[in-house]
Amino acid sequence: MITVIGSINMDLVVRTDHFPKQGETRLGNLFATIPGGKGANQAVAAARLGADVTMLGVVGNDAFGHELVQTLKNEGIHTETIQQAAEPTGIANILVSNKDNRIIVVPGANHAWDAQMIEAMEAIIPKSKVVVFQLEIPVDMVRRGLALCKEHGVQAILNPAPTDAFTEDLLDHGALLTPNESEAETVWGAEWKDAIREFPNQVVVTLGKDGAMYPGANDAVYVTGYPVEVVDTTGAGDTFNGALAYGLSQDWELSKAIEFANAAASLSVEALGAQTGMPALDAVIERMR
Ligand code: ATP
């Protein structure tokens, strides 16, 4: 079983031809409410591939919260461990223009973790094969979760995004770290490619259209990106993480899991919205040929 411990948000997506400048009003040409949140997205990515997925997170007792839990259920994800808080469900305000995006996240209920959530985490981690974390829930909870994974010998993946809450001690728990390029630079500085050599097979850096790279036992290994027609890159990183978790839950070598995740993520950028384009297993296998 894969457990995803993280955020559940409603994405409020606005598409426009030009981003407004400060103080400027622009007309948009599309508005959509699309289920998101890095945690939920990564759970959906893994479930689409056929994994047995449990989601641990908090939503509000409001329309977005109910809709989001239902959406996860519809994907076959176990949602009994999702709790309701008095705070409103988290939202992400996503502006999309010309294949670029700008995002503001308001965490709301995602930050309303209490003692009951800690108990739920303590109960579920020992039963999991792979546990996936991001940094859209309180970082103390991530820290506890990573320590529990280490204690129980459970494979953890930490997608250190957003990096605002990142602290160096999160590297100490043996989790597989999956930053994108700018997150790697925030964590290790401009010389991140040198710095990650200290962590062979423990870091994978996603490189957008250029694919991904990781420090192998000896040299850096580059996994080339697939040439695709990009519609919306929102959720590409989440698809990568969900697919990586799927691969590791199948006991694949890290190299194979990364190649698989790279193919899955390339499919996700071909559709608008984070979860919309997340592929099924067959589509990923087809792309890898
Ligand atoms: P996002 O925040 O947009 O969800 P990210 O910044 O977390 O993504 P990226 O490194 O941009 O992560 O992309 C993650 C993965 O998605 C890449 O490793 C690659 O496999 C795939 N990908 C992203 N953009 C493209 C692209 N233009 N063409 C092909 N594959 C892509």
Side-chain angles (χ1 to χ4, degrees), residues 122-203:
E122 285 169 351
I124 205 159
I125 285 178
K127 293 190 257 172
S128 308
K129 175 100 184 181
V130 179
V131 182
V132 190
F133 301 88
Q134 320 76 29
L135 296 176
E136 289 186 334
I137 61 169
V139 68
D140 267 352
M141 299 300 154
V142 176
R143 198 172 279 123
R144 270 175 189 255
L146 290 174
L148 278 170
C149 287
K150 190 174 182 186
E151 188 185 323
H152 292 279
V154 174
Q155 168 77 61
I157 297 176
L158 171 59
N159 178 220
T163 42
D164 310 53
F166 186 85
T167 51
E168 289 233 338
D169 65 290
L170 294 172
L171 294 168
D172 299 341
H173 301 283
L176 175 62
L177 233 72
T178 57
N180 66 17
E181 218 170 339
S182 71
E183 289 151 5
E185 201 171 321
T186 308
V187 173
W188 290 286
E191 305 303 315
W192 60 267
K193 278 186 188 161
D194 290 333
I196 62 174
R197 284 155 73 181
E198 264 184 60
F199 303 93
N201 296 320
Q202 212 201 306
V203 180

Side-chain angles (χ1 to χ4, degrees), residues 180 206-209 211 226 228 230 233-237 240 262 265-266 269:
N180 66 17
T206 61
L207 305 172
K209 66 175 172 36
Y226 288 85
V228 295
V230 177
T233 62
T234 315
F240 189 96
N262 183 47
S266 80
V269 304

